[in-house]
Amino acid sequence: VDTTKKVRIFWTTNLITQEERSSMQAVRLHKVLEDGPKILHLLKGIRQKSSLAFESQSQCKRINGLVTRAMEELHSIEDAGTFKHERILESPQSTLVNVSLPNDETKTRTVLNFCANNYLGLSSDPRLIKAAHDALDHRGYGLSSVRFICGTQDIHKELERKIASFHSTDDAILYPSCFDANAGIFEALLGPEDAVISDSLNHASLIDGIRLCKAQRHRYKHSDMLDLENILRETHEIARNRLIVTDGVFSMDGDVAKLKEICDLADIYDAQTLVDDCHATGFFGKTGRGTPEHCGVEGRVDLINSTLGKALGGATGGYTSGPQALIDLLRQKSRPYLFSNTLAPSVVGASLETFRILNESNEHVEKLAKNVTMFRSQMQNAGFKLAGDANNAIVPVMLGDARLTSEIADDMIEEGIYVIGFSYPVVPKGKARIRVQLSAAHSIDEVQKAVDAFIEVGKKRGIIP
Ligand code: PLP
């Protein structure tokens, strides 16, 4: 391994400790690559001095075939420019956060946060924190059990009832996450005689869940109703039951599934529907009931899967809400429900408070809608190209070029606005964008600051006149 490669491998595999990175004054990766030999020399010096001395001998022994292959793959991810770095927050989740800087992760800066799924601004709401404390005091820290052994408390049942009532369905079943709800639903409800018909841009967890089941699998082109209808026609005689599966809001583009047309097709062809409404529940639609409400098909979607980990407090947890027999069957067969630990009481307590707040007033939903309208109209007037549904809190600012997008995201942090750029392979080539996510907790002034920063950076980079 040549020296440069070695340094790169150390860097990408975290063999360089945080302390060493600080000592090196957080030299940026490209700098490390350029200065490979020099940096390695520097590292050696640091390691000799450091109390966390690098045990190269034992480290070498652990480098087996699997590790080597992992290093090579990490290396190619780095080369492709798609290596994901975690940016460290040193504050609670909020509209204002302390975040490490892109070019020097030893330093943090207080910035306005426009990239969390904190749509209702409840993530650090004092009422949820108090409810979580109360649940900790009265129901303990953890249950050390799956639901059906001894992991179900009265509050779990109460939360399931609240969720079902919020969606106007018979019942709901809680999971540790919506990823689990999506992983566990298909195998439990569908057999080889059935068919699942899925939008091509559905979330990874739906794709994985579908892979786990034995049903026939079909994929229709994203939001293409003709393609969906063709598949429904073709599978009419072949499949016992057909389940049409779609995200409610597609999180990369901010567009909404055509639920009215999907439900109409489901009626015509005697199929059922499942909507993953993670990016809509609690805030989208007039009263926050999600995409079925927005599209005017409340009561026509058979199954709703969603998360407690975004708008509804943002901690963790997911659920399926739907007809009694299906929820009952999930409790008997769904593997993440049967074989993974129950939701922590503090999360359940805070989630109950979330639904209490949502049922009490529509204030958060309305405030978010105002912020979305203000941001979208000002950005459009300034000349930016935006994607997605006009009402949705996800606002992709379309920029095209991947490098430009990442530079603009860095510029925005400098301007005190935290946004993230997305490029290939997360989105198609040439369609890089910055995804802005608005929150009910943003003040008018904060939304204005974000728009002003975009205008400043956009002019500097020649994106807008
Ligand atoms: N479905 C969609 C559409 C999502 O965006 C996500 C989260 O990113 C999930 C499911 C998974 O939700 P959770 O974080 O509760 O596992």
Side-chain angles (χ1 to χ4, degrees):
V1 185
D2 73 40
T3 337
T4 308
K5 203 163 164 191
K6 205 163 175 181
V7 171
R8 194 196 328 226
I9 287 171
F10 283 168
W11 189 277
T12 55
T13 55
N14 281 338
L15 292 180
I16 292 175
T17 67
Q18 195 60 41
E19 267 179 45
E20 286 165 346
R21 281 171 193 240
S22 318
S23 309
M24 291 161 72
Q25 293 169 325
V27 186
R28 292 211 65 182
L29 185 57
H30 63 263
K31 188 95 183 77
V32 175
L33 298 183
E34 266 168 33
D35 295 350
K38 222 182 345 179
I39 302 295
L40 199 63
H41 183 70
L42 178 65
L43 257 181
K44 229 168 114 193
I46 293 163
R47 285 191 168 132
Q48 273 159 5
K49 278 188 240 143
S50 167
S51 55
L52 282 158
F54 179 62
E55 297 163 288
S56 55
Q57 289 305 319
S58 60
Q59 193 79 48
C60 281
K61 271 187 221 140
R62 275 185 267 130
I63 298 190
N64 54 33
L66 199 58
V67 174
T68 310
R69 211 197 68 74
M71 284 174 162
E72 280 164 10
E73 193 166 344
L74 285 163
H75 196 164
S76 60
I77 296 173
E78 184 67 63
D79 281 346
T82 55
F83 197 92
K84 289 176 271 312
H85 295 273
E86 293 170 342
R87 201 163 273 170
I88 311 295
L89 300 189
E90 291 184 1
S91 60
Q93 184 60 278
S94 181
T95 51
L96 269 182
V97 286
N98 290 344
V99 67
S100 60
L101 294 178
N103 53 0
D104 185 350
E105 62 189 41
T106 64
K107 295 205 180 97
T108 61
R109 161 151 200 207
T110 305
V111 288
L112 280 172
N113 189 358
F114 280 85
C115 58
N117 303 311
N118 186 16
Y119 299 112
L120 292 171
L122 294 176
S123 301
S124 300
D125 188 289
R127 292 167 293 181
L128 268 65
I129 294 171
K130 179 169 182 316
H133 275 296
D134 288 349
L136 259 178
D137 290 342
H138 296 108
R139 294 291 181 279
Y141 170 64
L143 280 161
S144 307
S145 171
V146 298
R147 285 288 299 277
F148 82 96
I149 299 182
C150 58
T152 300
Q153 291 175 322
D154 50 351
I155 53 174
H156 292 80
K157 297 308 285 181
E158 192 186 341
L159 180 57
E160 287 174 338
R161 283 194 298 273
K162 282 267 150 53
I163 291 169
S165 139
F166 184 79
H167 289 294
S168 304
T169 52
D170 296 345
D171 199 0
I173 172 175
L174 285 170
Y175 286 88
S177 69
C178 186
F179 203 109
D180 286 323
N182 289 344
I185 195 164
F186 302 101
E187 197 223 2
L189 300 185
L190 305 171
E193 311 83 351
D194 302 313
V196 55
I197 309 174
S198 171
D199 187 288
S200 62
L201 288 192
N202 275 345
H203 189 259
S205 52
L206 288 172
I207 296 171
D208 286 5
I210 291 167
R211 279 187 188 139
L212 291 172
C213 84
K214 296 202 169 67
Q216 305 152 37
R217 295 176 217 155
H218 302 269
R219 212 160 54 143
Y220 61 94
K221 288 187 210 127
H222 175 52
S223 278
D224 184 331
M225 295 299 105
L226 277 178
D227 201 25
L228 172 60
E229 184 161 15
N230 282 340
I231 297 172
L232 283 165
R233 213 177 275 128
E234 282 160 19
T235 52
H236 202 48
E237 301 293 322
I238 311 168
R240 179 179 60 182
N241 292 305
R242 273 98 41 89
L243 183 61
I244 305 170
V245 180
T246 181
D247 281 14
V249 169
F250 294 85
S251 64
M252 280 301 139
D253 292 306
D255 59 327
V256 180
K258 295 178 181 158
L259 287 192
K260 167 85 174 61
E261 290 90 327
I262 291 175
C263 287
D264 288 348
L265 286 172
D267 285 349
I268 296 168
Y269 290 95
D270 191 22
Q272 276 79 54
T273 48
L274 184 159
V275 173
D276 173 335
D277 231 10
C278 281
H279 286 280
T281 303
F283 63 95
F284 199 55
K286 215 161 169 239
T287 68
R289 261 61 180 177
T291 51
E293 181 182 37
H294 175 80
C295 300
V297 293
E298 270 182 304
R300 293 183 65 197
V301 172
D302 295 286
L303 288 155
I304 297 171
N305 279 12
S306 198
T307 183
L308 302 171
K310 298 191 196 297
L312 305 179
T316 184
Y319 59 83
T320 295
S321 188
Q324 195 63 57
L326 300 188
I327 302 299
D328 287 348
L329 190 58
L330 289 174
R331 286 190 208 283
Q332 300 307 311
K333 288 178 68 185
S334 182
R335 292 166 76 84
Y337 173 84
L338 293 173
F339 299 112
S340 189
N341 201 23
T342 188
L343 212 52
S346 53
V347 174
V348 177
S351 302
L352 281 167
E353 180 63 9
T354 299
F355 283 101
R356 193 198 62 71
I357 293 171
L358 290 182
N359 288 328
E360 182 185 72
S361 129
N362 207 32
E363 178 195 340
H364 289 76
V365 176
E366 287 164 15
K367 173 74 190 328
L368 177 60
K370 276 195 190 130
N371 285 348
V372 170
T373 308
M374 172 179 166
F375 183 80
R376 278 193 171 266
S377 63
Q378 292 207 20
M379 289 288 284
Q380 245 146 7
N381 290 344
F384 285 101
K385 193 172 159 222
L386 310 178
D389 184 277
N391 301 294
N392 201 264
I394 295 174
V395 186
V397 181
M398 304 305 288
L399 297 163
D401 182 68
R403 186 173 300 276
L404 176 71
T405 300
S406 129
E407 286 169 0
I408 289 181
D410 287 354
D411 288 352
M412 290 293 287
I413 278 258
E414 292 298 326
E415 295 288 325
I417 308 293
Y418 183 20
V419 283
I420 294 282
F422 291 91
S423 51
Y424 182 81
V426 181
V427 296
K429 268 194 181 132
K431 295 218 165 156
R433 81 253 345 235
I434 284 180
R435 185 178 71 173
V436 175
Q437 289 171 287
L438 291 141
S439 166
H442 287 130
S443 66
I444 297 287
D445 189 39
E446 288 169 339
V447 177
Q448 190 63 55
K449 279 192 179 133
V451 173
D452 292 346
F454 266 110
I455 292 177
E456 172 89 20
V457 172
K459 281 190 174 154
K460 188 178 89 186
R461 297 266 176 195
I463 294 156
I464 53 166

